[in-house]
Amino acid sequence: MIFKEKQKSQPIEKRQVWEAFEKVKSNGGSAGVDNLSIKEVSSQARKYLYPVWNRLASGSYYPQAVREVEIPKSDGRVRKLGIPTVQDRTAQMVIREELESKVDKHFSANSFGYRPHKSAHQAIKQCRENCMKMDWAIDLDIKSFFDEIDHGLMMKALSHFTDKKHIHLYVKRWLEAPIQKKDGTIEPRSKGTPQGGVISPLLANIFLHFVFDKWLEKHHPQVKFERYADDIIIHCQNFKQALRTLEAVKARFKKCKLQIKDGKSNIVYCKRNQKKHPSFKVHYVSFDFLGFTFKPRMVKGYFGNFH
């Protein structure tokens, strides 16, 4: 691939765009609002990728609308994904690669989702170990997290990691990219970052790094936790500590314009033997985390996990 060199205002190289597209291609996925597939872009790379680099490097890049797709859930509801165009996913990958190299080393060791050299398996292993050590767990469920991220707070969190103008410029434009609904109508976006966007998981980690991870480690150092994107388990020594921690987390999230989902965030008793049991009736003795159900193994007398 040969691009003609020009003096550009933003530090985006042609090589970055080509490498980003290769990663987008390997991830697969459907077309966005322009119906342009990965195969079509790949077959005419210069035609479709040169404008991406040219606009990114000159500051004139603006994303197209994000195509909304509804994915059915087991409870009858739907999960809404936002699918950017292939060109927009490539542009997002360029910035994600640069930004991730700066921020990931600062993230908490207890954050496992969508990070290099981190995995769901590691999160599950740590969760099992913490259930063995601590009697109580808080199964935390954030209401519509990706859809509710406040743009102002998101940009403030981003500014703690970088002051590079091109990163701020394009992240802001991606956050504000409108949504194309199933019926073809276009709606503006005033909050949230679409699930399905290449850069959205990294932005979510940056947001929760400040809203939750560092806050909990500073103000509640006695508890332990695992976080995989917006799936969170907090481990506590006793019921009173779990109550206090849950109330503090609710207040923290409210301050940061998030909500805990009613009836979905529970305090769970991780009993390790039958002799050590609270004096009151326990309502929850199991929770689901990353596709596993954690519950007591009655015979062996410890807190294990099953599919």
Side-chain angles (χ1 to χ4, degrees), residues 236-254:
C236 302
Q237 294 287 1
N238 55 64
F239 183 69
K240 287 184 178 180
Q241 185 184 65
L243 276 176
R244 289 194 301 268
T245 303
L246 180 55
E247 289 307 308
V249 170
K250 286 181 179 179
R252 172 63 175 175
F253 280 179
K254 184 177 180 180

Side-chain angles (χ1 to χ4, degrees), residues 133-156:
K133 297 173 184 176
M134 307 181 84
D135 282 354
W136 297 86
I138 303 171
D139 178 13
L140 208 60
D141 197 331
I142 306 174
K143 183 179 179 180
S144 305
F145 168 67
F146 280 87
D147 294 330
E148 294 296 326
I149 292 176
D150 181 81
H151 288 176
L153 292 177
M154 181 69 253
M155 297 306 296
K156 183 178 179 180

Side-chain angles (χ1 to χ4, degrees), residues 3-171:
F3 290 150
K4 184 178 179 182
E5 286 283 2
K6 292 182 180 180
Q7 186 66 34
K8 297 295 183 181
S9 61
Q10 308 299 327
I12 307 293
E13 299 178 6
K14 301 181 295 293
R15 169 191 54 81
Q16 291 175 270
V17 174
W18 177 250
E19 292 175 354
F21 174 69
E22 289 298 311
K23 291 182 178 180
V24 169
K25 183 166 67 173
S26 68
N27 291 336
S30 58
V33 296
D34 59 359
N35 294 316
L36 193 61
S37 69
I38 291 175
K39 183 177 180 180
E40 290 175 273
V41 174
S42 184
S43 66
Q44 300 184 69
R46 180 178 177 84
K47 175 182 177 181
Y48 294 116
L49 296 182
Y50 176 82
V52 175
W53 167 73
N54 189 40
R55 292 166 187 162
L56 279 175
S58 65
S60 62
Y61 164 79
Y62 282 87
Q64 296 187 65
V66 175
R67 181 170 66 90
E68 186 175 83
V69 177
E70 295 182 350
I71 307 297
K73 298 174 71 173
S74 58
D75 59 5
R77 297 180 300 165
V78 296
R79 180 164 63 100
K80 294 182 179 180
L81 297 181
I83 310 299
T85 67
V86 175
Q87 290 169 303
D88 287 337
R89 297 208 295 273
T90 300
Q92 288 189 22
M93 185 68 77
V94 170
I95 301 301
R96 193 194 83 174
E97 292 290 293
E98 180 182 355
L99 184 57
E100 189 171 65
S101 68
K102 296 177 180 295
V103 305
D104 188 76
K105 59 188 175 185
H106 298 289
F107 287 161
S108 170
N110 301 303
S111 170
F112 296 90
Y114 307 106
R115 295 183 58 193
H117 315 299
K118 291 279 191 175
S119 68
H121 177 76
Q122 292 172 326
I124 292 165
K125 180 176 183 291
Q126 180 172 301
C127 186
R128 183 189 302 119
E129 292 170 352
N130 283 332
C131 284
M132 293 285 288
K133 297 173 184 176
M134 307 181 84
D135 282 354
W136 297 86
I138 303 171
D139 178 13
L140 208 60
D141 197 331
I142 306 174
K143 183 179 179 180
S144 305
F145 168 67
F146 280 87
D147 294 330
E148 294 296 326
I149 292 176
D150 181 81
H151 288 176
L153 292 177
M154 181 69 253
M155 297 306 296
K156 183 178 179 180
L158 181 65
S159 68
H160 283 281
F161 285 122
T162 181
D163 59 358
K164 289 195 173 183
K165 292 181 179 179
H166 69 286
I167 293 179
H168 281 255
L169 178 70
Y170 295 132
V171 166

